[in-house]
Amino acid sequence: MKHKQIIWDFNGTLLDDVRETLDATNALLARYGKPMLADADAYRRVFGFPVIDYYEKIGLERENFEIYADEWVAEYNLRAPLAGLYPGCREALAYFRDAGCRQYLLSATEREMLAGQLAPLDIASFFDDIVGQDDTRAHGKLAAAVEWSKKVRLGAALLIGDSLHDAEVAAAIGADCVLLACGHQSRARLEATGCRVLDTVTDLLHAAEKGEL
């Protein structure tokens, strides 16, 4: 393989939590009398980082962001146990491990929340390092990624994600990037980055098996 370091995003890339995220968001919108998002496609067309900007797009006032963020996390945590890995994730993680790649998890999720989501999935052992954030405000992971990348001496690295923010992070740390359209943003938005876009983790695995990664 050309790439010897694989950096995974978590939510929407490995963890299939789009439905849980949408339901938590609509519960919050309903509580405050705001129009709800019609479906996952409508959600994928507007979601983004930093989350404070996304909240404003869906009708939640910036000045109340701290309140909304705490309430959203509570709603999401009620639903999070329902989320599982996308099909093909374990196979892909095992494939890259067996190919001699070092694998890392780089998430915009707060550290303890991330650890709680990872625990029942039994995949933590695949990663040489797991990087989460200091708080639950979902500002993004760019600063943390840049600092982390200085410590691990990234070389032939590939970042696998599901958002425009993942493409931004990859560019900042000098990694190539593949984006998956099964996650939190629409294929059309992802394709606008110029990165390669695949539909599923299984498609990613097939691309790796064919020597395309």
Side-chain angles (χ1 to χ4, degrees):
M1 285 183 58
K2 179 176 74 170
H3 297 101
K4 296 301 181 185
Q5 296 166 305
I6 307 297
I7 305 164
W8 292 90
D9 172 56
F10 183 56
N11 302 85
T13 299
L14 290 169
L15 186 71
D16 180 6
D17 68 342
V18 173
R19 170 52 58 185
E20 290 71 29
T21 301
L22 174 60
D23 288 349
T25 301
N26 276 339
L28 184 64
L29 291 170
R31 182 177 304 155
Y32 288 96
K34 309 292 185 180
M36 292 190 290
L37 296 169
D39 53 27
D41 288 337
Y43 163 72
R44 289 184 172 107
R45 287 194 292 268
V46 294
F47 175 76
F49 291 97
V51 164
I52 190 171
D53 293 341
Y54 155 64
Y55 276 15
E56 188 172 42
K57 287 180 182 177
I58 60 175
L60 298 170
E61 301 83 2
R62 294 180 76 91
E63 58 268 25
N64 296 325
F65 174 67
E66 299 289 325
I67 296 170
Y68 294 142
D70 287 342
E71 293 186 3
W72 183 87
V73 168
E75 291 287 348
Y76 177 83
N77 284 340
L78 290 174
R79 297 164 173 81
L82 300 174
L85 296 173
Y86 284 106
C89 283
R90 293 185 191 280
E91 293 82 355
L93 288 165
Y95 178 87
F96 289 124
R97 177 198 61 199
D98 295 344
C101 298
R102 303 193 72 173
Q103 298 187 85
Y104 309 97
L105 191 66
L106 180 60
S107 175
T109 299
E110 187 271 333
R111 290 187 189 91
E112 290 188 11
M113 190 172 168
L114 178 61
Q117 289 180 288
L118 280 170
L121 301 176
D122 194 29
I123 59 171
S125 62
F126 284 105
F127 304 110
D128 289 278
D129 199 4
I130 295 172
V131 181
Q133 305 306 307
D134 293 331
D135 59 47
T136 59
R137 298 305 183 247
H139 301 299
K141 56 191 176 186
L142 183 59
V146 170
E147 286 305 308
W148 169 80
S149 69
K150 295 174 183 176
K151 301 174 185 177
V152 295
R153 297 183 180 180
L154 290 179
L158 174 68
L159 191 152
I160 302 165
D162 72 313
S163 71
L164 306 181
H165 187 55
D166 288 311
E168 178 187 23
V169 169
I173 63 176
D176 292 332
C177 186
V178 170
L179 299 173
L180 303 180
C182 53
H184 290 270
Q185 291 187 322
S186 67
R187 171 176 269 277
R189 297 175 73 192
L190 300 181
E191 288 177 341
T193 66
C195 297
R196 183 174 184 180
V197 179
L198 298 171
D199 287 322
T200 67
V201 179
T202 300
D203 292 335
L204 176 84
L205 175 58
H206 291 162
E209 291 172 335
K210 289 188 289 185
E212 297 176 1
L213 302 179

